[in-house]
Amino acid sequence: MVVVEKYPDLKATQNFRDLQVQLEGTENRIAVERRDFNEAVGSYNVAIRRFPSALVARLAGFKERPFFEAAVEAQKAPAVKF
C-alpha cells in the first residue's frame, strides 16, 4: 500500500489496465450478441422457407429479416482520450 502511495504512476497504470480489460470485455459481449442475433435471424429465415411452415409464414405475412451488419465507421475502435 505504501508503494502505491509513493508512486502514483503504479496506481494509474493499474487503472489503465482495468480500463483495457473492461473495454475488451465490452467488445467481446458485443461480438457474442451480434453472433447470437445473426444465428437467430438465420434460423428464422430458414424456418419460414421450410415446408409446411412456409405456408403458414406466407399467410401470416412473415418476411425474411436481414443479418446485422455494422457500419464501416463502427469497424474502427473508438479513441479513448485522457
Side-chain angles (χ1 to χ4, degrees):
M1 195 65 145
V2 175
V3 173
V4 172
E5 291 175 3
K6 280 187 173 182
Y7 301 101
D9 289 340
L10 294 176
K11 190 173 182 182
T13 301
Q14 183 60 40
N15 288 340
F16 183 73
R17 285 189 189 130
D18 292 345
L19 176 63
Q20 285 179 315
V21 168
Q22 289 176 356
L23 290 174
E24 181 182 351
T26 301
E27 290 174 2
N28 289 339
R29 285 190 297 276
I30 290 170
V32 166
E33 294 304 321
R34 183 182 305 127
R35 185 193 69 224
D36 290 349
F37 176 81
N38 284 337
E39 287 176 0
V41 168
S43 296
Y44 168 82
N45 288 341
V46 168
I48 65 170
R49 285 183 274 167
R50 282 194 183 149
F51 184 82
S53 59
L55 300 173
V56 175
R58 192 171 296 144
L59 291 173
F62 290 97
K63 303 207 183 297
E64 284 194 26
R65 301 289 180 203
F67 290 103
F68 177 82
E69 293 182 18
V72 176
E73 302 86 37
Q75 297 297 326
K76 181 181 171 197
V80 179
K81 298 178 184 176
F82 296 96

